[in-house]
Amino acid sequence: METTRFCSHSDPVEATDRSSGSTIKLQHTRLYAAASEMSSSSTGLKSVDYEIFGDVQGVFFRKYTEEQARKLGLVGWVKNTAAGTVTGQVQGAVDKVNFMMNWLKSVGSPMSRIDKAHFSNERDVSKLDFNKFSTRY
């Protein structure tokens, strides 16, 4: 679970009343998220299973998925299913897995058409189950 603490910072702001021309000082408060308060889940390891629906077979989707995962330093696997989808599992740093999830649901291979991406079994992990990212047959 990610928790964020919001901190306030106050700055005086001058405002001029247009009708009277008088200037008053106001206290303006800004909120910002304290980055140091983010939970360790944002810097830990994550695993997620996925299934991608659409025109994703015969369009090099697995090849591009493997290349993208390797560029990001992720591990796991990808394979075609008999149902015409692409399925797999990806593991690695939380921010990189989140980036890959977005890539899977919105980018894919140049010739693919992604209709839907289903993610399941999303969880924090203490260690990786794979040494590399590979295509399964």
Side-chain angles (χ1 to χ4, degrees):
M1 184 170 105
E2 189 172 292
T3 57
T4 303
R5 185 180 78 183
F6 287 95
C7 302
S8 64
H9 178 73
S10 299
D11 291 323
V13 176
E14 287 189 4
T16 302
D17 183 338
R18 289 183 184 169
S19 62
S20 68
S22 62
T23 301
I24 57 171
K25 285 192 177 188
L26 302 171
Q27 200 67 16
H28 174 71
T29 302
R30 289 181 283 159
L31 291 177
Y32 62 94
S36 63
E37 296 295 320
M38 300 299 265
S39 73
S40 63
S41 68
S42 64
T43 57
L45 298 175
K46 179 177 179 176
S47 178
V48 66
D49 299 340
Y50 60 88
E51 186 168 14
I52 312 301
F53 299 80
D55 187 10
V56 292
Q57 289 191 7
V59 292
F60 300 99
F61 195 92
R62 291 175 299 163
K63 176 184 181 281
Y64 279 85
T65 298
E66 186 174 332
E67 287 177 1
Q68 183 65 30
R70 287 184 176 179
K71 283 180 195 173
L72 293 170
L74 299 171
V75 299
W77 55 272
V78 61
K79 75 174 188 173
N80 284 343
T81 69
T85 64
V86 170
T87 189
Q89 186 177 79
V90 64
Q91 296 181 341
V94 171
D95 60 337
K96 306 248 174 155
V97 171
N98 289 341
F99 184 92
M100 187 68 179
M101 290 170 69
N102 187 58
W103 185 92
L104 286 165
K105 71 180 176 185
S106 60
V107 180
S109 67
M111 296 189 308
S112 66
R113 186 194 76 246
I114 301 165
D115 294 336
K116 178 175 84 168
H118 176 72
F119 299 99
S120 61
N121 204 18
E122 190 171 342
R123 64 204 181 281
D124 293 333
V125 293
S126 59
K127 65 180 185 67
L128 302 174
D129 295 327
F130 308 96
N131 297 325
K132 63 179 186 169
F133 198 94
S134 62
T135 297
R136 292 185 177 177
Y137 298 94

